[in-house]
Amino acid sequence: MLRKAHKCYGSVAKSISLRRGYASHPPKARLNIPTDYASTPLLHHSAKSSLANKELSNEARNGTTSRINLFQAVNAALAYALRSDQRVLLFGEDVAFGGVFRCSMNLATEFGDHRVFNTPLSEQGIVGFAAGAAMEGMRPVAEVQFADYVFPAFDQIVNEIAKCRYRAGHNADSMNCGGLVIRMPAGGVGHGGLYHTQSPESLFTHVPGMRVVVPRSPVQAKGLLLGAIASNDPVIFLEPKILYRAAVEHVPAEPYILPLSTAEVLKEGKDVTIISYGTPLYACQSALAAAEKDFKCSVELIDLRTVYPWDRQAVMASVNKTGRCIVVHESMVNAGVGAEVAATVQEGCFLRLEAPVQRVGGWSTHAGLAYEKFNIPDVTRIYDAIRTSLEY
Amino acid sequence: MDFVVPQNIPPIATYRVMNSQGLIEDESHAPKEVMHEQILEWYKNMLFVNILDAIMSDAQRQGRLSFYMVSTGEEGITVGSAAALEPDDIITCQYRETGVFKQRGFELPDFMSQLVHNKNDPGKGRNMPVHYSGRANTGVHAVASTLGTQIPHAVGAAYAMKVADLEAGKPVSRVAVAYFGDGAASEGDFHGALNVAATRDCPVIFICRNNGFAISTPTSEQYRGDGIASRGLGYGIESLRVDGTDIFAVYEATREARRKALENGGRPILLEMMSYRISHHSTSDDSLAYRTQDEVEPWKTRDNPIARLRLWLQNNDLWNDELEKSTRAQIRADVLREMKSAEKELKPPLSSIWDDVYAVYSGEQLSQRAEMKRMMMKYPDEYDIDEYEGGIEAL
């Protein structure tokens, strides 16, 4: 039951931007205009478009769609998982009443308090508990309320969840965290400030043993989450919170799994490859549309989807084709996912490269509230990176 | 084999001085050394918090503010306890302690500039509203949204002050205080903090605001034991449960806790202040999604800290309806006026994006600052920076 007062982090009312509040754009801007989610080519605005997705299961492709947002897609995935597999559990802070982002609406009612429940306020407790349940054969979905609060759970994630299969050796099959998914809202939302904006995905890519996934849309969220729950490896699932309400599209009603560690080429091109994941893809789309018009070039856009282990083949194949590469992410440039992609690309495509690999990311600072729009890579910076790459 | 059975142990009693009618039941607990002017100041500070809360949460609904958190029902806990501390005491808190800031000297312009993140914000516009910064003037650490992380900070601060005093040959005379909610007390940091405080004899007071909720999670789902006060026993810490809506009880308990915390070179004390979170968790929450209006209503009048102190003041001829009306009107006018003028101010300079990450700029940061300036000069139409103090020259 949606309440009017639930003006959660994702909603940016038009009236607010008219008052030049915290989500406005300059009057003469051509590039730095807020993403129009209702028309972006990255979302499926028709059932036909959605069902044409080659990655869907037959069941899904022959079914219907409903036009839903990202939190509803997550909710649909969770409902299907809980319904089809008794081992699936869902828990975390405030999960029972529906969750602070509505992802668990009606699930406690349908599946009961022993499968969908609130935990006390302790991320280390939630994640450690999830690890133990996973090692006993359950498929727990643990929710951390904001990625900014995952840090107390780092010990459990790095030293236990990532390592238990490995240290169990011959006993690996009886003692691993396959089936464990830790979900958390991440990323900028316009007014989250220091502690409701963080994108810590790269921190998890420097420890082997887990898959780190970032969905860009409702269709992707449903399929990737089901893929994560079905995976035999533990998965960290970061949901871009600004997209919970903003991204709306036709999502197949039937269940389907999207593959982990597989990138997706969203748009083919021949002059520059842009690699990104999550929310910045929308800015990348706007930037490349303007660049293709202004510079008469053709840009290829790739969504990594899983940032570790990531799809090196797809990225190298693309850069070997185009000769130019730009990586875009919200989190700060230093030691971000972009650093790894850039290093790998220069190793593998050195002689093909026409320009240095560029990274457009957050500045090396914290996510200050008043400066968020300057920190997060905007359309202009991405557009300029394309131009620099072409002109090199 | 005698197991200790928690259910068989009676719950810890709640310390109360004044009843719901504003009458002090046991005169021996009446606040003797407090002047009437001080009590009136407490009352006005509570009114300030209450009125600021009402106006600013409305402002959020109108889109003038991105976010706000109200502390209705808990004004007595924050104002009353802060009133019992000394100026040099150090405080760390959660995010619902506006009354602590007010009692400690944070002024209306400080509050308002933070809320609208303008150039006068002591926190340089970096944090969400109500995450005030005022360590230099008020002794209160800048607020973070993370829960529980502030609790061990107070322990460390207490230890540092104790060691500094001992090294200087002075008696230990300062305490540190950590405020946190019933939910935050579930975090690992709470347990680490209490244990270190006890084993290192730190002069620290732990003040838990138990308001019954952690967003939608009621205390029945937060813990199984007898609240937070019962945990002190496990760590060897003296503890007291207090009626948080009785400002005299809050004041007396904190005063005594402070005295005890400084005894014999220092030790920790745990206070659990009981109240009810009348407000939603924040402006991003609609609490009617998980509780009924019927449950909330009685708390607005029955055990309300402001209403009770008002009755006491009126019973003692220190207050009347006329003063209530004029004081509320004055506070309201001040807040509205300050908000209007704060909104007109410029935002902090863009150089604040990189200041204060390190003590001194790194080379990488200097080159990023130059890069952003280059971008803004190359694409001037794409950036609106006139509302930031100094505009592009600040880079």
Side-chain angles (χ1 to χ4, degrees), chain B residues 102-119:
Chain B
K102 184 70 177 73
Q103 186 65 31
R104 297 281 293 186
F106 210 58
E107 297 291 0
L108 183 51
D110 300 320
F111 283 109
M112 202 54 76
S113 62
Q114 197 281 336
L115 291 168
V116 303
H117 53 269
N118 69 28
K119 69 182 192 358

Side-chain angles (χ1 to χ4, degrees), chain B residues 90-104:
Chain B
I90 292 300
I91 298 169
T92 67
C93 63
Q94 187 158 303
Y95 47 54
R96 216 182 291 278
E97 289 84 11
T98 304
V100 171
F101 277 93
K102 184 70 177 73
Q103 186 65 31
R104 297 281 293 186

Side-chain angles (χ1 to χ4, degrees), chain B residues 344-355:
Chain B
K344 292 199 181 78
E345 295 273 23
L346 294 174
K347 298 279 173 275
L350 289 175
S351 48
S352 302
I353 293 176
W354 291 274
D355 290 351

Side-chain angles (χ1 to χ4, degrees), chain B residues 171-334:
Chain B
V172 178
S173 60
R174 296 171 290 164
V175 298
V177 181
Y179 290 85
F180 51 92
D182 45 282
S186 292
E187 288 281 18
D189 276 335
F190 168 84
H191 303 281
L194 263 66
N195 212 12
V196 174
T199 52
R200 300 304 304 164
D201 300 309
C202 301
V204 59
I205 307 173
F206 299 109
I207 299 184
C208 177
R209 290 182 295 98
N210 188 334
N211 64 15
F213 287 93
I215 305 187
S216 74
T217 307
T219 49
S220 56
E221 292 177 357
Q222 194 64 245
Y223 51 72
R224 273 287 176 279
D226 176 18
I228 280 73
S230 64
R231 296 179 193 176
L233 179 64
Y235 293 105
I237 295 176
E238 278 188 50
S239 317
L240 181 70
R241 174 170 286 145
V242 183
D243 177 353
T245 61
D246 170 357
I247 198 168
F248 291 125
V250 169
Y251 178 83
E252 291 296 303
T254 310
R255 204 86 194 117
E256 178 62 4
R258 190 178 187 283
R259 191 194 65 74
K260 282 174 175 285
L262 290 171
E263 270 182 338
N264 299 323
R267 63 194 162 116
I269 305 289
L270 173 61
L271 297 176
E272 181 184 19
M273 311 245 180
M274 310 304 291
S275 70
Y276 183 85
R277 198 198 74 204
I278 291 173
S279 59
H280 304 305
H281 165 69
S282 72
T283 50
S284 302
D285 176 51
D286 175 7
S287 62
L288 295 179
Y290 51 83
R291 62 180 180 180
T292 63
Q293 193 61 42
D294 287 345
E295 182 191 323
V296 181
E297 278 308 314
W299 289 93
K300 291 182 181 173
T301 46
R302 187 187 65 210
D303 279 315
N304 183 284
I306 296 176
R308 272 162 84 182
L309 184 59
R310 182 179 170 181
L311 282 171
W312 184 89
L313 289 169
Q314 283 172 181
N315 292 342
N316 288 273
D317 293 319
L318 294 165
W319 201 250
N320 55 53
D321 287 350
E322 195 43 58
L323 279 170
E324 177 79 10
K325 204 160 139 223
S326 62
T327 307
R328 281 184 173 269
Q330 183 62 56
I331 294 173
R332 202 180 151 72
D334 289 345

Side-chain angles (χ1 to χ4, degrees), chain A residues 196-216:
Chain A
H196 292 81
T197 303
Q198 293 175 56
S199 255
E201 69 280 355
S202 82
L203 302 178
F204 298 111
T205 66
H206 200 52
V207 177
M210 322 161 270
R211 295 189 190 266
V212 186
V213 178
V214 186
R216 68 172 184 273

Side-chain angles (χ1 to χ4, degrees), chain A residues 3-9 15-16 19-22 24-33 93-97 100 102 113 118-124 145 148-149 152 191-196 295 332-334 362-371 373-375 378 380-384 387-388 391, chain B residues 60-67 114 117 124-129 131 143-147 183-189 214-218 221-223 282-286 288-290 347-350 352-358 364-365 368-369 371-372 374-376 378-379 381-385 387-388:
Chain A
R3 300 229 175 216
K4 197 160 73 100
H6 251 284
K7 283 198 169 103
C8 278
Y9 300 92
S15 61
I16 293 173
R19 265 188 217 98
R20 317 276 294 128
Y22 48 91
S24 57
H25 65 272
K28 292 197 289 182
R30 186 180 67 102
L31 300 169
N32 279 353
I33 308 171
E93 293 154 28
D94 305 297
V95 160
F97 93 111
V100 293
R102 331 294 283 163
D113 170 71
N118 287 343
T119 58
L121 213 167
S122 167
E123 292 76 16
Q124 66 184 113
Q145 200 158 81
D148 312 61
Y149 308 141
H191 47 270
L194 303 173
Y195 301 103
H196 292 81
F295 313 131
M332 75 180 237
V333 180
N334 198 71
W363 304 120
S364 297
T365 184
H366 304 292
L369 180 78
Y371 323 105
K373 62 179 185 262
F374 301 115
N375 260 331
D378 57 29
T380 306
R381 283 170 59 198
I382 302 166
Y383 172 90
D384 192 66
R387 181 187 222 169
T388 304
E391 290 173 357
Chain B
Q60 194 278 340
R61 288 286 175 258
Q62 293 165 23
R64 291 166 81 171
L65 202 65
S66 59
F67 177 82
Q114 197 281 336
H117 53 269
K124 296 191 186 178
R126 291 167 177 155
N127 221 339
M128 287 169 83
H131 291 66
V143 176
S145 315
T146 39
L147 293 177
S186 292
E187 288 281 18
D189 276 335
I215 305 187
S216 74
T217 307
E221 292 177 357
Q222 194 64 245
Y223 51 72
S282 72
T283 50
S284 302
D285 176 51
D286 175 7
L288 295 179
Y290 51 83
K347 298 279 173 275
L350 289 175
S352 302
I353 293 176
W354 291 274
D355 290 351
D356 311 314
V357 176
Y358 290 99
E364 183 195 18
Q365 290 180 314
Q368 288 180 350
R369 205 167 121 164
E371 170 64 12
M372 189 161 99
R374 186 189 73 81
M375 284 295 297
M376 289 178 165
K378 189 172 176 184
Y379 301 92
D381 288 344
E382 303 297 338
Y383 295 96
D384 192 349
I385 49 186
E387 52 171 352
Y388 291 84

